[in-house]
Amino acid sequence: LNMQEKDPMFWNRWAQQTLKNALTLQTLNTNKAKNLILFLGDGMGVPTVTAARILKGQLNGQSGEETRLEMDKFPFVSLAKTYNTNAQVPDSAGTATAYLCGVKANEGTVGVSAAAVRSQCNTTKGNEVTSILRWAKDSGKSVGIVTTTRVNHATPSAAYAHSVDRDWYSDNEMPPEALQAGCKDIARQLFENIPDIDVIMGGGRKFMFPKNQSDVEYPDVLKHSGTRKDERNLVQEWKDKMKDKKGYYVWNKKQLLSLNPNNVDYLLGLFEPSDLTYDLERNTDTDPSLTEMVDVAIKILRKNPSGFYLLVEGGRIDHGHHEGKAKQALHEAVEMDRAIGRAGLMTSIHDTLTIVTADHSHVFSFGGYTARGNTIFGLAPMVSDVDQKPFTSILYGNGPGYKLVTGARENVSTIDYQDNNYQAQAAVPLSMETHGGEDVAVFAKGPLAHLLHGVHEQNYIPHVMAYAACIGQNRDHCLSRDGAAALKPALSVMAAILTVTRLLC
């Protein structure tokens, strides 16, 4: 316990300062948003945010609970209802369609309305819905996608693809009847649907190359070889198309960081055959972090005088939880928070609307009356009064951590429960832990961030972003009756002065 915390003055002063800051929010930011950034923590429910906050503090030598994440500093917070049209507890595809295309949809489908049925190719046509990435591109903005998963995974897919099945990564994963009926795999749609997406970074190399073509980084690992039955090399096709357009393809960190973003207009970075490795296991020499990818992406995108839309996914928070590996999940969340901080330093609150949210939660929890500053991966201070064994604070409602030893719950003190890949105990045995169904937080800052308030349907999010940036379907408010702009562009001089003052303080 920090000594000053024993003094009521400490808490009173802190609260008074918070109050003063809150009162300044009465002057709402009604500027027009030149730039839009959406940070999506896949599977980052509220318990994950809280636990990541504590972990971030503890990594900095603090007790952790009082730490402020970058997302904690956003002035406006609301809740999003995450259910899919046919699911109480949703998946990442139906939710991505909601927060990217503005329309709720069935689980397992991306970029199509709820009239489309999962895996039924013939329900695609006529039910396609477009995303805010598309609306931004059509309005002249630069657009980018940065993810720690495959670039054709559920979250990024909804930005550009229309697929009745999120698992149709390449034609190799599609049933023959779907191909015959004319449905296209998601990797192909990435390059064909929206021409010239300016920045694409993540994993998923193998889905872009002909079947059995060995991978550039793992030439001897069969499962990393190309998957495409149509024998197309989508990367080569992209390079050919971009050769006179300042387009660059990179597949490792060194190539990425050796680029001068001022001379790059288009970037395709595919750093792994499938998903990127967990940040805890990342090879820091060869694989870029999410923060490094975001840094390069913004440097390229912000050259456009009309601004940009950027989708950033911390996609493996979800994978850590599914595997019951809380340590992996929470380190992924902390890395995404670092990327949020970097983006904040590179953009201005005056002209950039930034939103941080999750697609859904997980059945992840931490409790057990742990003391202040207890390592987030530690034990509760008492043993169970039922089976007299210790237990970790972090537990899952279900998942692979369920384990019986001679018919009883495993004694966690006999194993290394702080290991990177330790699977926390679960109440119900499942090979993969499931999503959770509760609302998720939506953090917002920048122009018109106050439109995210209270409890909303998840599909409301892109409508707010589009309204703030004057793109997409309702733009009437951008012109007042006399034809002048109603949403005022951020005063660049004022912004410059404030930025300088901020740097000097």
Side-chain angles (χ1 to χ4, degrees), residues 81-87 90-114 118 129 154-155 158 163 166 359-360 435 458-459:
K81 298 161 67 173
T82 63
Y83 68 91
N84 295 148
T85 45
N86 64 343
D91 93 313
S92 297
T95 50
T97 306
Y99 62 75
L100 289 171
C101 305
V103 171
K104 284 225 170 189
N106 292 326
E107 62 90 34
T109 66
V110 288
V112 287
S113 72
R118 182 167 191 173
V129 290
T155 300
S163 177
R166 58 175 285 179
D359 48 354
H360 55 72
H435 295 167
Q458 192 170 38
N459 68 295

Side-chain angles (χ1 to χ4, degrees), residues 43-48 82 89-90 318 321 358-364 433-440:
M44 189 180 73
V46 173
T48 301
T82 63
V89 177
D318 180 67
H321 282 324
D359 48 354
H360 55 72
S361 187
H362 276 268
V363 291
F364 159 84
E433 173 266 4
T434 73
H435 295 167
E438 80 272 19
D439 300 349
V440 295

Side-chain angles (χ1 to χ4, degrees), residues 12-85:
N12 291 333
R13 270 198 309 267
W14 190 355
Q16 288 297 320
Q17 187 52 54
T18 306
L19 193 56
K20 234 169 89 179
N21 296 346
L23 288 165
T24 66
L25 293 176
Q26 289 177 319
T27 25
L28 297 173
N29 179 344
T30 56
N31 295 338
K32 179 177 168 182
K34 174 182 171 185
N35 309 314
L36 301 169
I37 306 178
L38 177 65
F39 279 94
L40 193 285
D42 198 308
M44 189 180 73
V46 173
T48 301
V49 173
T50 310
R53 173 190 307 139
I54 294 171
L55 173 59
K56 187 165 191 167
Q58 293 181 346
L59 290 171
N60 290 330
Q62 302 152 324
S63 73
E65 299 82 1
E66 69 297 319
T67 301
R68 292 181 80 204
L69 290 169
E70 293 300 329
M71 62 185 100
D72 292 341
K73 299 171 187 172
F74 285 32
F76 297 97
V77 182
S78 59
L79 293 176
K81 298 161 67 173
T82 63
Y83 68 91
N84 295 148
T85 45

Side-chain angles (χ1 to χ4, degrees), residues 228-400:
R228 302 198 64 82
K229 288 179 176 165
D230 61 11
E231 294 297 308
R232 285 174 64 175
N233 180 332
L234 298 178
V235 170
Q236 192 55 51
E237 291 177 22
W238 183 90
K239 279 159 64 173
D240 293 344
K241 202 176 89 175
M242 292 298 174
K243 66 174 184 293
D244 306 321
K245 284 185 170 176
K246 294 193 192 166
Y248 294 86
Y249 167 67
V250 295
W251 59 267
N252 61 46
K253 174 172 166 174
K254 202 169 156 189
Q255 293 174 344
L256 175 70
L257 298 187
S258 65
L259 294 171
N260 176 350
N262 295 325
N263 304 331
V264 178
D265 289 342
Y266 297 98
L267 175 61
L268 173 61
L270 300 175
F271 303 105
E272 284 293 324
S274 189
D275 302 323
L276 273 49
T277 51
Y278 283 123
D279 200 65
L280 267 180
E281 290 162 4
R282 181 169 63 86
N283 179 329
T284 51
D285 293 330
T286 59
D287 303 334
S289 67
L290 184 59
T291 305
E292 287 163 341
M293 293 193 287
V294 165
D295 184 88
V296 175
I298 293 176
K299 282 174 180 162
I300 294 170
L301 297 172
R302 70 180 177 192
K303 295 185 297 182
N304 185 337
S306 302
F308 63 82
Y309 171 86
L310 175 61
L311 167 64
V312 181
E313 183 194 18
R316 303 214 64 202
I317 301 168
D318 180 67
H319 296 171
H321 282 324
H322 278 307
E323 293 170 4
K325 299 174 180 176
K327 193 166 194 175
Q328 297 287 8
L330 296 183
H331 275 269
E332 292 296 304
V334 169
E335 173 55 31
M336 189 176 89
D337 196 64
R338 279 188 206 108
I340 293 167
R342 176 65 57 90
L345 291 172
M346 299 177 73
T347 54
S348 159
I349 198 154
H350 299 284
D351 68 358
T352 303
L353 173 62
T354 307
I355 292 176
V356 178
T357 188
D359 48 354
H360 55 72
S361 187
H362 276 268
V363 291
F364 159 84
S365 65
F366 69 101
Y369 304 118
T370 42
R372 180 76 184 274
N374 195 62
T375 162
I376 190 67
F377 304 115
L379 296 174
M382 70 284 211
V383 295
S384 160
D385 59 0
V386 176
D387 70 7
Q388 279 69 53
K389 288 182 185 140
F391 60 99
T392 53
S393 170
I394 287 175
L395 295 167
Y396 286 95
N398 58 46

